[in-house]
Amino acid sequence: MWRKLFSRNNKLNYTVNDANQLDPDNIPAHIAIIMDGNGRWAKKRGLPRTLGHRAGVEALRGIVKAATKIGVQILTVYAFSTENWKRPASEVDLLMQLFSEYLDNEIDELDNNGVQIRFIGKTDELAETLQKKMAEAEQRTGCNIGLILNIAVNYGGRAEVIRAVRDIAQQVLAKKMLIEEITEQSIKTHLYTCDLPDPDLVIRTSGDLRLSNFLLWQSAYSELWFTDSNWPDFRAEHLIQAIANYQLRERRFGGLKNPK
Ligand code: FPP
């Protein structure tokens, strides 16, 4: 039933030129993407999964550019979850290598285009060389005022909440905070995305209809959009289609449209 409900998204009726048709006053400020389906994309072509991930990097390059052009302010992409360590070591190593290559190859262009790169997740558990590269990229682009590109690596929504709860518990134990001061707002200040608005739109590619531990707290009132396209096939046209669909929705945040 759900698949049927969302199947209307799978016919791509948009071209890159349709970006002009979007309502400029209702562009989602923050879009989050679960970039799924690299493996399936490769399998369909009889290719190794590694090539699917490499094609996924290309798709990301295009979407960062498209999002900037459309006027999206924040793009958060799910690159590696706290559960992805369960994959074969060779695939994990390849993904880590790709993150490193991405920074080597893209940093100049991203910086020149004003993109501010941030990493969210338990990055302290990654290889030190990669951590160093990530920190350098964050530092180099930290003052940029264009698109904020949050890359979630070793990220899990539950782990993020645990981290916040532990920080808060420590503050309470140290008598720096009262129990009554634990609110939605104070919890937010302990999340990786503490200074950012919640995602307006969460996109997941490749047909699965779930959040897979992505931005669990932040997506409470996000609009969700799913497509059967695998991530390596995801283009500006798909992003435009997702935003056009978002613009048709009425967001009430639990309230009423016309309260009397
Ligand atoms: C899910 O596809 C994708 C991932 C676990 C990795 C996402 C990584 C990229 C798109 C590579 C580039 C990222 C950066 C930040 C440079 P899957 O492997 O689960 O596909 P499947 O479900 O079809 O097997």
Side-chain angles (χ1 to χ4, degrees):
M1 184 244 189
W2 284 102
R3 191 167 293 273
K4 218 171 170 186
L5 193 61
F6 289 106
S7 64
R8 65 180 182 275
N9 293 328
N10 295 319
K11 195 164 175 292
L12 188 57
N13 297 320
Y14 290 80
T15 71
V16 279
N17 299 325
D18 290 319
N20 304 326
Q21 313 276 337
L22 295 172
D23 174 359
D25 297 326
N26 190 19
I27 301 293
H30 185 174
I31 296 183
I33 307 185
I34 302 174
M35 307 181 289
D36 194 17
N38 294 347
R40 274 164 279 180
W41 180 92
K43 194 172 174 198
K44 243 167 113 178
R45 290 161 178 78
L47 299 170
R49 293 177 59 82
T50 49
L51 289 187
H53 292 311
R54 285 197 180 277
V57 178
E58 287 310 304
L60 178 61
R61 291 186 64 202
I63 291 307
V64 167
K65 281 190 193 149
T68 304
K69 212 166 158 193
I70 291 168
V72 174
Q73 294 167 35
I74 305 153
L75 184 67
T76 301
V77 293
Y78 205 8
F80 192 90
S81 75
T82 44
E83 289 72 40
N84 284 152
W85 298 105
K86 294 177 195 160
R87 296 188 177 206
S90 57
E91 181 165 341
V92 170
D93 290 348
L94 181 273
L95 284 167
M96 297 298 155
Q97 189 188 322
L98 286 183
F99 303 149
S100 176
E101 281 176 18
Y102 178 76
L103 292 175
D104 290 340
N105 299 336
E106 300 299 318
I107 186 74
D108 287 343
E109 193 174 339
L110 291 168
D111 193 20
N112 290 338
N113 290 336
V115 175
Q116 187 188 125
I117 304 177
R118 299 184 184 188
F119 290 92
I120 61 170
K122 296 204 263 183
T123 52
D124 57 326
E125 292 177 359
L126 304 173
E128 273 182 25
T129 45
L130 182 57
Q131 283 187 49
K132 194 162 165 267
K133 225 173 252 190
M134 289 170 159
E136 281 167 6
E138 285 185 326
Q139 212 165 7
R140 176 169 164 186
T141 63
C143 293
N144 288 349
I145 55 166
L147 179 81
I148 294 177
L149 175 62
N150 273 320
I151 305 180
V153 181
N154 197 18
Y155 172 88
R158 288 181 175 180
E160 183 180 31
V161 172
I162 291 168
R163 178 176 169 268
V165 170
R166 285 184 180 161
D167 285 352
I168 291 171
Q170 259 168 358
Q171 293 203 5
V172 172
L173 274 178
K175 301 206 183 311
K176 290 181 182 158
M177 194 175 181
L178 296 170
I179 296 272
E180 297 72 32
E181 287 171 338
I182 304 175
T183 60
E184 282 193 22
Q185 196 47 42
S186 67
I187 289 174
K188 180 182 161 96
T189 63
H190 291 274
L191 300 178
Y192 296 117
T193 55
C194 55
D195 60 336
L196 301 175
D198 289 340
D200 300 292
L201 175 64
V202 175
I203 294 173
R204 182 175 187 141
T205 60
S206 109
D208 288 331
L209 308 178
R210 54 177 172 261
L211 286 176
S212 299
N213 206 8
F214 188 44
L215 302 176
L216 295 182
W217 177 277
Q218 298 90 331
S219 62
Y221 279 101
S222 302
E223 297 298 322
L224 308 179
W225 191 82
F226 300 94
T227 173
D228 278 345
S229 292
N230 290 315
W231 173 248
D233 289 327
F234 195 84
R235 296 284 175 273
E237 297 88 302
H238 297 86
L239 185 65
I240 293 164
Q241 183 167 17
I243 296 174
N245 185 272
Y246 166 87
Q247 294 190 335
L248 296 173
R249 306 203 188 171
E250 181 187 286
R251 302 186 76 192
R252 295 187 300 277
F253 299 93
L256 298 176
K257 190 183 174 197
N258 295 313
K260 286 247 163 103

